[in-house]
Amino acid sequence: MNEFETLENRYLNLYPLDGVQERDLKKIEKILDLKLPNDFCEIAKFYGGGQIGDISIYSFNIEDEDNILGRTNHLRNAISLPNDFIVLAEPDESIIVMDTKKEPRILWIDATEVDNLVTGRFEVNPDTWETYKAFFVELLTQEEMDKL
């Protein structure tokens, strides 16, 4: 069993399969003109966004009302979000983004510091995860602990 199958089994112990099709991920890549990280695509096969570990991640399904494609496009237009980033979630007064080009992949920053994504210089150090997988593992572990 590979590492993604192990994660999938852990997730399926909590929730039913709710991933997205590869064609939907390809549409996101085409519309946003970027390449999604491999670990994100592997996890998206069984987890398509939603509440996990006290965080509400936008849906990966582009047909859903609140989805990563719509939120990313909105923020690209509203605040000039750099094109390499995808908006994953917007918890109170903050934003969680995924950098599709370099590590750390996941950054949880104060919403007022979005403009600093270009330079990477923040007034308050963001929470970061080197990979989407590391971020997901932390959320999944928190979700498992909450279910005990």
Side-chain angles (χ1 to χ4, degrees):
M1 181 176 299
N2 72 38
E3 60 190 321
F4 292 106
E5 290 171 330
T6 301
L7 281 176
E8 180 178 0
N9 287 335
R10 286 177 58 193
Y11 180 78
L12 292 177
N13 282 331
L14 300 171
Y15 302 105
L17 186 67
D18 70 350
V20 295
Q21 299 290 324
E22 184 176 343
R23 64 180 152 72
D24 294 327
L25 297 175
K26 294 293 182 199
K27 282 182 189 176
I28 291 170
E29 288 180 329
K30 183 176 182 178
I31 292 168
L32 294 178
D33 191 28
L34 50 73
K35 174 77 172 113
L36 294 168
N38 290 337
D39 61 341
F40 177 86
C41 293
E42 287 295 322
I43 291 168
K45 290 177 183 177
F46 60 87
Y47 169 73
Q51 189 74 29
I52 186 166
D54 297 328
I55 302 294
S56 183
I57 303 294
Y58 289 122
S59 176
F60 304 165
N61 184 337
I62 60 177
E63 303 299 322
D64 290 346
E65 185 174 335
D66 282 332
N67 62 67
I68 61 172
L69 176 61
R71 291 307 298 161
T72 299
N73 271 331
H74 171 74
L75 290 179
R76 279 182 176 181
N77 293 326
I79 61 168
S80 299
L81 179 75
N83 288 346
D84 294 341
F85 291 90
I86 291 181
V87 178
L88 295 177
E90 294 176 89
D92 292 338
E93 300 180 19
S94 64
I95 185 170
I96 301 172
V97 295
M98 177 171 62
D99 188 331
T100 61
K101 293 275 186 175
K102 63 184 184 320
E103 294 181 354
R105 289 271 189 221
I106 307 300
L107 295 96
W108 187 342
I109 62 174
D110 186 282
T112 62
E113 294 206 76
V114 172
D115 291 338
N116 298 335
L117 283 169
V118 173
T119 64
R121 285 180 254 144
F122 301 98
E123 289 182 33
V124 176
N125 286 335
D127 291 331
T128 62
W129 291 263
E130 289 301 305
T131 63
Y132 180 77
K133 179 184 163 213
F135 174 68
F136 183 79
V137 165
E138 186 170 318
L139 294 179
L140 181 58
T141 301
Q142 179 63 47
E143 188 73 14
E144 290 168 332
M145 298 297 285
D146 290 348
K147 296 288 182 187
L148 292 178

